[in-house]
Amino acid sequence: MRKIKAAVFASGTGSNFEAMMNDENLACEIVLLVCDKPGATVIDKANQYGVQTFVLNPRDYDTKQEYESNILITVRELEVEWIFLAGYMRLIGPTLLEAYEGRIINIHPSLLPNFPGKDAIGQAIRAACKTTGVTVHYVDEGMDTGPIIAQKKVEIFPNDTEETLKSRIQEIEHALYPEVINMVVGLVELEEV
Ligand code: GAR
């Protein structure tokens, strides 16, 4: 079966990127890593896996449109069909949203709509929640707001620290994201046959 070409957008450690790369059953070939944080660990990981990287500093651009137009040239050159956000801590603007309508998804470490944005794990602990989780959703112009595709609950134990909870959440993320990617990509490609 033809592998669908995809790009991962990430800003940080890249554990979700790594989980995708290690999943033999992933329906996509990750052909590009886009990173907005020069020096981020995820760039080293992409190099280790031999995945092309495109690292940009948003400060070098006057507008989001200019920044995203530059990304668009590269993703189009590589014939990228889907974009997966994996810890990409930046809103997606109209330039990419219009070019990849319905083909950008994101993973977030909470049960959205609860605790969008940064530090979702810390937010859930400080709010004394007993349960939090992981959400995979389509991306729109908002912060972690697009239509939800899948969610999984994670219990918060009384003695949890941000680190212990994060490690359980990320374990769920690493299994859930590839699974949801395969489902969503497969459905859309089937519709187009
Ligand atoms: C992940 O937990 C992801 O859900 C979160 O960033 C982390 C990135 O980890 N994303 C967000 O908070 C998006 N609002 P990673 O770099 O190890 O994959």
Side-chain angles (χ1 to χ4, degrees), residues 9-12 36-37 85-92 106-109 117-120 143-144:
F9 285 30
S11 311
D36 63 335
K37 287 264 154 50
L85 309 187
Y88 182 69
M89 304 311 262
R90 188 165 294 281
L91 291 180
I92 301 291
N106 179 43
I107 189 156
H108 183 76
K118 286 187 180 154
D119 191 24
M143 192 188 283
D144 304 315

Side-chain angles (χ1 to χ4, degrees), residues 12 22 28 35 38 43 47 54 81 91 123 149 153 165-166 191:
N22 289 340
C28 301
C35 181
I43 301 166
N47 289 333
F54 188 42
E81 295 159 271
L91 291 180
Q123 290 186 61
I149 306 165
K153 284 186 185 166
L165 181 57
K166 181 178 169 188
E191 276 167 19

